[in-house]
Amino acid sequence: MLSIKNLSASINNKEILKGVNINIKPGELHAIMGPNGSGKSTLANVLSGREGYKVSGELKYQGKNLNEISIDERAQKGIFLAFQYPTEIPGVNTRNFLKTSFNKVRKAQGKKELDALSFLKILKEKSNELGMDEKMLSRQLNVGFSGGEKKKNEILQMKILEPNLVILDETDSGLDIDALKIVADGVNSSRNDKKSFLVITHYQRLLNFIKPDFVHVLADGKIVKSGTSELAIQLEKTGYKGIN
Amino acid sequence: MLNFKINLNEIDKIGKFSKEEKDFRLKNLNYFNNVGFPNKKQEDWKFSDLREIVSKNFSKLNIKSSEQEKSKINFIKDFEHNYIVVINGRLTVSDFRFEENDKIKLKSFTNNDFADRKENNPLINLNHALSDKGFFLEIEENYKFKKILVIYNLFTNDLNEIILNSKNKIKIGKNSELHTLNLIINQSEKNFFNNVYENVVLEKAAILKNICVQNNKSSGYFHKYSKHELSNASNLTTFIFPSGLKFNKLDLEFNLNGENCECNLQSASFLNKIDHQEIKTRVNHNSPNCKSYQKVKNVLDSESKGIYQGKIFVKDVAQKTDAYQLSKAILLSERSEFDSKPELEIYADDVKCSHGSSSGSLDKDSIYYLMTRGLSENESVELLVNGFLSEVIESIKSDSMKNFLKKKLADQLNGYKKN
Ligand SMILES: Nc1ncnc2c1ncn2[C@@H]1O[C@H](COP(=O)(O)OP(=O)(O)OP(=O)(O)O)[C@@H](O)[C@H]1O
Ligand SMILES: [Mg+2]
């Protein structure tokens, strides 16, 4: 699904990723942990196609080179990034935005666009599953949403867009215990042998709910250790100083 | 360079006038001819050098021509309404089918105020000298309109190198209420100049809600001076949605003469190509306990230029004034320009006055976020611009009007292409 080979990225002449290697197969869920500032969000941004980075190394998604593909095309091809800090966008109605995005991605994938009514049905179902208040969908996109509400809105988009590769950047941070469970259920229910996940988190707690196949530790722009879910449990005890 | 002095005997071509009126017109034409079209040396015109604009784009300016009096109109089907049709500034037909007709007076405008005032704006002198059309609408006391009045302002396709001067007056009686939609429909593809003088009078506790929409882009050059007089407890709301013209200047004066009156002005514009648009306001708080609110939003692309000059004047007696002014602009192109000049002149001590102004480019993080959801860059910009401008539309109460205006805005932005 995704193969990252010797990936380096720098911004403003500062090297942040310094040769990252990860290989994710269809159906796998990988977790990335690591200290603040180690480059986790940068990795997520680079995967989404964000501009402004000087990138070298190899990025392959479904066998195709990602480097030349624009942000929107990556999304249309099924890459989804749930933001650590979702952007507040004044003036844009959440529901309308979701519909535009949904149909845009569908159209690009050669599927039929849905009319307002059919879409609203799907939206209602998915937002109910997440226990979201429907009134929120009438508001401006993310504007004034609480931290947890923003995260749920990201997961809602994940559920609606049905991507192949999901990158969750600290989606668990800021969620209360119930919300964490709901979000984890959301992830688990969309797991299948075709979809892959890259889950960035600081907390082993999340990984109790979402079982990772692999755990990687990113420190100072490099993967310094990889293992199974045992690694997360060990980290919880020893901290990042305890590895190597 | 052309000399745009206007021959005094042009006045005779417009019509036959009493001695008093003729003198008034001559005097004003002399004022105009002394100054000519204003250029940027004049403070009020420092951002809009009209002299340059006119001499670049016009080889002559006819005063009188035999332009059409009839034209086909696509009446709005989105909501029921009364209407007035004004063609090239001239009142033609009207229909007040939803109202009590004896409460409404409508006629062609005839000026009978020949007082000699030295106007600061030479285009007003020009209008005083040459105006030969327009309408006068008067609503009696205690009458609330049941349906909106749409004023179809049509400009026909045979207008070419001509200047139209018209005067309109709207007077709303005590406790009466009128909602209007001023729709400007332009069919001419040639250059012409439209110079309007407007006088709006609100008597005690009268309400006027006015929405002004330019239906399409055109080659018109528009100047409108509009003077509003508000009596006790009256309430005026104006929304302006221009389409972007090669020249469009709105010079708006609001006189809050009675206590407890309120005026509210909001505008949203999307300008591109070489559009040039200025909104200049002067709000005179002449009485205590009045409220004024202004919000002007502009999005500028290509080489367009937008200007907002807003002055709030608070007289010494106007205690408890609450005045607010906000200007926000988004520049989509490095070649576009936005100038804003807020001014406060306050002589009372117990007042609340605030103004703010911001301009900058679109938020890059927002574009990035939308693109990660599959929208192209152009679509993202379009969505953000639409969101920025439609905020003004959101504050309109009527749903059918809201939808009508949103459609107009969407048409304007449709297929936005980043240049
Ligand atoms: N535009 C930028 N210019 C300079 N430095 C940057 C820029 N963006 C990020 N950085 C730096 O890159 C480093 C990695 O940032 P990143 O956001 O990827 O960390 P992270 O691992 O996600 O941290 P956290 O766990 O706190 O979310 C940080 O030191 C950050 O300050
Ligand atoms: Mg981060």
Side-chain angles (χ1 to χ4, degrees), chain B residues 264-296:
Chain B
N264 183 318
L265 169 79
Q266 297 194 49
S267 166
S269 314
F270 178 70
L271 306 176
N272 63 12
K273 306 209 173 113
I274 53 162
D275 295 344
H276 180 114
Q277 176 174 287
E278 170 165 350
I279 295 180
K280 174 177 172 286
T281 64
R282 184 182 169 111
V283 178
N284 293 317
H285 279 267
N286 297 327
S287 260
N289 292 310
C290 294
K291 238 177 148 167
S292 67
Y293 180 94
Q294 300 176 68
K295 180 152 77 185
V296 174

Side-chain angles (χ1 to χ4, degrees), chain B residues 221-245:
Chain B
Y221 293 69
F222 278 53
H223 171 265
K224 176 159 122 177
Y225 169 75
S226 195
K227 185 174 184 164
H228 304 80
E229 312 280 351
L230 282 80
S231 308
N232 280 5
S234 60
N235 193 315
L236 172 69
T237 308
T238 302
F239 285 92
I240 302 170
F241 301 105
S243 62
L245 298 176

Side-chain angles (χ1 to χ4, degrees), chain A residues 8-108:
Chain A
S8 295
S10 51
I11 190 160
N12 300 333
N13 288 324
K14 189 184 158 183
E15 194 176 31
I16 297 167
L17 298 179
K18 304 170 181 172
V20 173
N21 295 290
I22 300 175
N23 190 22
I24 305 180
K25 296 202 180 77
E28 286 180 355
L29 189 146
H30 290 231
I32 293 191
M33 304 182 81
N36 294 128
S38 56
K40 302 182 295 300
S41 293
T42 303
L43 175 62
N45 289 343
V46 169
L47 290 175
S48 74
R50 182 168 203 160
E51 282 155 23
Y53 297 100
K54 226 180 122 233
V55 178
S56 66
E58 191 187 275
L59 267 186
K60 274 194 168 160
Y61 169 70
Q62 295 179 328
K64 275 175 251 125
N65 205 326
L66 268 185
N67 293 342
E68 297 304 312
I69 299 180
S70 63
I71 307 168
D72 49 327
E73 262 181 273
R74 293 186 197 201
Q76 292 163 5
K77 289 185 184 332
I79 297 180
F80 179 84
L81 165 62
F83 283 63
Q84 180 176 4
Y85 305 110
T87 315
E88 298 199 4
I89 306 190
V92 174
N93 174 278
T94 305
R95 194 178 279 115
N96 291 347
F97 156 72
L98 292 173
K99 179 168 166 267
T100 307
S101 163
F102 175 80
N103 275 330
K104 192 73 218 252
V105 169
R106 272 183 79 92
K107 195 176 165 198

Side-chain angles (χ1 to χ4, degrees), chain A residues 173-184:
Chain A
S173 299
L175 289 180
D176 66 43
I177 307 157
D178 295 341
L180 183 68
K181 237 191 131 270
I182 293 169
V183 165

Side-chain angles (χ1 to χ4, degrees), chain B residues 11-12 16-27 114:
Chain B
I11 291 173
D12 294 325
K16 275 218 117 356
F17 306 108
S18 66
K19 171 142 192 341
E20 194 190 13
E21 178 161 0
K22 175 103 189 261
D23 285 349
F24 171 79
R25 287 178 180 268
L26 279 171
K27 208 170 277 169
F114 303 124

